[in-house]
Amino acid sequence: MVSKDELRHLGWISRINLSEEEIETFHHQLGDTIKYIDVLETFDSENLTLDYLEVEFSNLREDKTIEFTRDLIPKSSLAQEGYVKGPKMI
Amino acid sequence: MGNILIGLEIHCQLTSLKSKLFCFCHEDYRSFKPNSNICPICCGFPGTLPLLNQKAVEHAAMISNALGSKIPEKIMFYRKNYFYPDLPKNFQITQYNSYGLTSIGSAGSVCISDSKTIRIRRVQLEEDPGRLSYDSGNIHNSNHTLIDYNRSGVALVEIVTEPDFTEPKEVRYFLNKLSSILEHLGVCDTALEGAVRCDANVSLKGGERIEIKNVNSFREVEKALTYEISRQTSLSTRNIRINSETRHWDEQRKITRIARTKEEEQDYRYFPEPDIPLVMLGKDFYTHIEKLVPELPDERLSRFKSKYTLSDHVANILINSKKLADFFESCLKIYYSPVEIANWLVNDLLALIGGEETVILDKLKIEPKHMAELAKLVDEKKISRSNAKQIFTEVFRTGQTPSELLSSTDYSQINDENLIANAVDLVFSSEKSAVEDAKVNSGAINFLVGKVMKMTKGRADPKIVTQLINVKLAQLGNS
Amino acid sequence: MSNLYDLGALEAHRGINQGDFTAEEYVWSIIERIERVEGKVHAFITLNKENALNDAREIDKKIRTKEDAGSLAGVTVGIKDNISTHGLKTTCASKMLENYVPPYDATVVERLKNHGAIVIGKLNLDEFGMGSTTEYSRYGPTHNPWNLDYVPGGSSGGSGAAVSSRECAISLGSDTGGSVRCPASFCSVVGLKPTYGSVSRFGLISYANSLEQIGPICRTVEDVVTVMNAISGHDPNDNTCFLLRSNVPYLHIKKDTAPSSIAIVKELIDGCDPAVSRTIYSALDKFKEFGWESTEISLKSVNYALPSYYTIAMAEASSNLARYDNIRYGFSLPVEGFEWNTYISNVRSNFGEEVKRRILIGSYVLSSGYYSKYYLKARQLRSLLRQELLSNFGKYDLLVGPTMPVLPFRIGEKIDDPLKMYLMDVDTVLANLAGIPAISIPAGHSNGLPIGLQLMAGPFQEQKLIDAASLLENAIDIARSPEI
């Protein structure tokens, strides 16, 4: 289960504003889902290994430069001198 | 200053790479206008995937090796999740040690003196964030944050030490040595602005840990630590509790200040980066890296001491800057006089440059051939040492060769006893009272020697001058 | 065949190549078809008519001058709107990317274009691929061509519906937990989820990177083969698509297929709708008629597949979607007057509710206190599941079962119960967790609603899937496209 406070905290660490209405519905829906995935606990994980996709060192990308010449960031997102404009920090 | 524990987190950019860690943009972002060294990958555009730079892994492994760290046979990358405006994906691809997998280096050690070793906790490869500035010049009254992603994705190696330093001086030794190691490896040009950055954590016995961030050059670290230790000491003597916090080093005012934004205890929600498979370095990787690692400062130091018979002090000063040590050895290739040349470099050259600025050595007008030539002239007694110093200063200033300077101004030493005797005669006739003094007071002889040297513009061999004056005084006494 | 829009990829290509009709005539026919039925089906988010017609004229020029126009020359393809198309809006059916125009083509799009295919438009999906019905699209649901009141499946619902309603010859979807196969099943068409690492993900806007692959949805197995041969193979832009140094094995349709051994997964059949299981069993009888051996087996890992799947998918999603902060791209909301955190928390509340739920749960399962309880455990069980499946492929060529445990249902019927929706993915997630290929092939209809059969094979054994699907396609004639 997740408490409503825990849900608000999850909203904060995910940077999503949650309305009171959303807290109300998500509280139940997330609770159901988390209860469902709690079944993972019932499986014994002793002697379980992890497998990973692998890449050989020799197949890694060669260190070379290629300039990206197309427009990337739309003009509307730019401030003076080519800086990208973000909200103020404080 | 007992019971102090200091640990360091050092970030160094792999400046000798051509491209960034995960894309084809330039690693050297410094000459670009804002946001002109970017692509969809390093700006975190939807659908892009990181493409790990092989050479970056190699260079990070070379650093691990040089810091005596273990290099594993496979490495993994992780995502460190947090929101910050300089981070286009709002996570950083970095490394993390867990579940049997380690970063590119772990459990290393570096000796900073005969009796002191600093343990290296880990060495990891990660991406640099972009850079922020503010439209009004400071964070407080700006309407916008201005973001430049040119640096975003640049390959960075983070070196984390154990809290093994007990005084700021040791930190300086360590950072000097680290700089020299990085220079010797040729993987990081520590002179470039922002290429090396250092965070430190300090705790007094029984106190909480204080992080000092934002120290943008190695030189400032010792100052920041000294300030912070005296601040904490004074708090604790007044029984004021020291809270765990993050402080920033204000380089202008030379003080640490509590970080402006509250940096709460973050939960970074690390998990393995799914877009980069486990990188299989293999069993032969370690040997491969060993071959790439050149002679390092420790070995070079002992070679300088044994082969060139340099003192520990002189050899250390040379080794602390790879460029200076290289300069030294280039001189020797032209003219072999190690002790003479080492002394010139350590005493005279560094004095002229001004201490720690040896890093700009390659921008100087004086070159190894000049130094070699000068040492040869001194060794062959063609010029006096005091004239050599004058010539050295001129070479440093103009870049002219010593022989050019010698022919334009006559610095060649006068060894001809007749010529010197003439000068002595002239001084004896013009400085009669001094001659009388000198007969009874040997200290006044120096005055006469000085007069002769002045008359010969310093070119007379001072030994011959002294000898002739003594002879003449003796003759006067006997007559 | 009376209309050019009825043609499959290979038929259209042959006609254009032989000069029976021009690519432009064919594209016009498709556009007219779209204009006629799109109002009812709503498969597209963005149409690309003008460019498509221009591309068709280019193809026609090549054909006239006898230049090689490619193996898919002139063929109309619809692209799921989470696959990047250079210069053509790619929204992921999200407000967050409402104005986003990618500065590059996904590798698969580039390859299709290089083979002469013509991108006719971008197809609807559940926002960022999160859903099984296409109801979670910001642009409204897609309707099942077989019954317009019903869902077409998801998340690639637009890709399934557009192919089934003949609004394009072929389409690309992406499959994270069944998102290609589910709509293929619900719309009575063929959908393939390739082996992980055989098709480049470069340009696919990530939902859950370690699980997803791009795959084709077509009306015939033959067309699936053609699309796969065009898009698969090593891509230097995707570190996870290195598995095959050169190319994945070239797929083909065989005239005669030697019998294989198939295993029916008991757990997948047991809990499903009786109409579905009846259809599956009768399809299996067809295989037996051709001398194929079939056995019933039990897979333990089915019990933990779904919770593992959702844990991993949501964890990866929470991190992948962190980049949508509306700074470099996104929708129009000036930054003036906002403080940083307030701004991004505000803009990010514009994610749809299913996306929000998954991000929140994803953040939860990765949190320091819960990491080993959920995420790590899910990863371990995933490895175990992969081992169990691989060991079965030592004994059997194919594993078989229904694609979906249920028939298509009414739009809105399950939307308020996310967990119920998640449970429908029980049959499809196995292939994603194990990284193996799987195909959904039409097996029948019940009350006019399509039922798909799913076949799974070992890694890079796509040819086995093609052989079996092709056999079934020839043995039972199931309509692929309804009258609308």
Side-chain angles (χ1 to χ4, degrees), chain C residues 204-464:
Chain C
L204 168 65
I205 299 179
S206 299
Y207 151 30
N209 333 43
S210 75
L211 296 159
E212 61 208 7
Q213 280 284 287
I214 291 170
I217 296 182
C218 307
R219 291 192 292 273
T220 62
V221 177
E222 183 182 54
D223 281 356
V224 166
V225 166
T226 313
V227 177
M228 277 305 289
N229 285 337
I231 64 172
S232 62
H234 173 69
D235 178 16
N237 286 314
D238 179 356
N239 267 329
T240 63
C241 185
F242 63 92
L243 287 163
L244 294 149
R245 300 287 169 264
S246 49
N247 273 304
V248 280
Y250 189 77
L251 300 175
H252 53 281
I253 302 282
K254 291 179 192 158
K255 287 232 163 56
D256 298 296
T257 304
S260 306
S261 58
I262 53 179
I264 306 150
V265 183
K266 186 174 169 293
E267 286 81 357
L268 300 188
I269 284 265
D270 277 355
C272 73
D273 187 297
V276 173
S277 57
R278 269 198 308 277
T279 307
I280 298 303
Y281 277 120
S282 83
L284 287 171
D285 290 340
K286 294 287 166 193
F287 285 110
K288 286 183 198 151
E289 284 171 27
F290 284 87
W292 291 39
E293 257 176 68
S294 86
T295 324
E296 188 164 280
I297 62 158
S298 174
L299 278 183
K300 269 192 296 187
S301 45
V302 173
N303 298 318
Y304 48 79
L306 260 185
S308 300
Y309 168 78
Y310 274 102
T311 301
I312 293 167
M314 290 178 186
E316 291 180 7
S318 71
S319 171
N320 288 328
L321 271 59
R323 73 189 62 196
Y324 302 109
D325 54 16
N326 219 37
I327 298 301
R328 295 160 303 283
Y329 43 80
F331 62 95
S332 176
L333 178 67
V335 299
E336 282 74 16
F338 286 102
E339 173 272 331
W340 182 270
N341 282 314
T342 320
Y343 181 81
I344 59 172
S345 304
N346 246 314
V347 297
R348 288 169 58 79
S349 65
N350 285 287
F351 280 124
E353 59 175 62
E354 180 58 22
V355 172
K356 286 187 214 175
R357 280 192 288 265
R358 295 196 192 194
I359 291 176
L360 295 169
I361 297 176
S363 296
Y364 178 82
V365 299
L366 287 176
S367 297
S368 55
Y370 298 114
Y371 181 85
S372 50
K373 179 176 170 188
Y374 295 110
Y375 181 78
L376 182 67
K377 193 66 171 280
R379 285 288 304 262
Q380 289 169 325
L381 290 168
R382 179 184 182 176
S383 297
L384 189 67
L385 175 144
R386 183 176 158 83
Q387 288 156 21
E388 189 186 15
L389 279 165
L390 292 188
S391 74
N392 273 293
F393 289 120
K395 294 176 232 162
Y396 315 102
D397 292 313
L398 299 159
L399 299 187
V400 67
T403 307
M404 297 300 291
V406 293
L407 292 164
F409 45 89
R410 283 178 181 277
I411 292 173
E413 194 179 313
K414 297 190 178 166
I415 195 133
D416 292 326
D417 193 344
L419 184 57
K420 211 176 220 172
M421 290 267 222
Y422 301 159
L423 298 179
M424 296 190 320
D425 295 340
V426 60
D427 301 344
T428 45
V429 297
L430 294 172
N432 302 84
L433 287 165
I436 57 171
I439 197 167
S440 177
I441 173 98
H445 286 81
S446 173
N447 290 328
L449 294 171
I451 295 164
L453 174 134
Q454 180 181 229
L455 294 153
M456 291 181 270
F460 301 106
Q461 299 298 318
E462 273 84 349
Q463 185 63 53
K464 285 185 181 169

Side-chain angles (χ1 to χ4, degrees), chain A residues 22 29 38 43 51 54 70, chain C residues 103 242 356 374 377 383:
Chain A
E22 281 175 313
Q29 292 171 336
D38 274 341
F43 296 94
D51 57 7
E54 295 172 0
R70 294 178 194 154
Chain C
F242 63 92
K356 286 187 214 175
Y374 295 110
K377 193 66 171 280
S383 297

Side-chain angles (χ1 to χ4, degrees), chain B residues 46-47 79 81 88 90 144 275, chain C residues 104 201 203 209 319-320 322 328 336:
Chain B
R79 287 189 186 176
N81 293 289
N90 285 316
H144 293 117
D275 289 328
Chain C
Y104 70 100
R201 289 185 297 115
N209 333 43
S319 171
N320 288 328
R328 295 160 303 283
E336 282 74 16

Side-chain angles (χ1 to χ4, degrees), chain B residues 375-423:
Chain B
K376 189 167 183 232
L377 289 169
V378 173
D379 279 352
E380 291 172 353
K381 298 199 188 310
K382 297 229 172 93
I383 48 174
S384 69
R385 189 165 291 278
S386 61
N387 275 328
K389 281 195 199 286
Q390 277 177 273
I391 291 174
F392 185 85
T393 312
E394 278 304 290
V395 174
F396 183 83
R397 200 172 59 81
T398 64
Q400 282 180 281
T401 64
S403 47
E404 278 167 2
L405 287 164
L406 266 178
S407 57
S408 62
T409 326
D410 202 348
Y411 288 112
S412 56
Q413 195 159 40
I414 302 169
N415 299 319
D416 185 329
E417 288 197 18
N418 292 330
L419 282 175
I420 296 172
N422 283 342

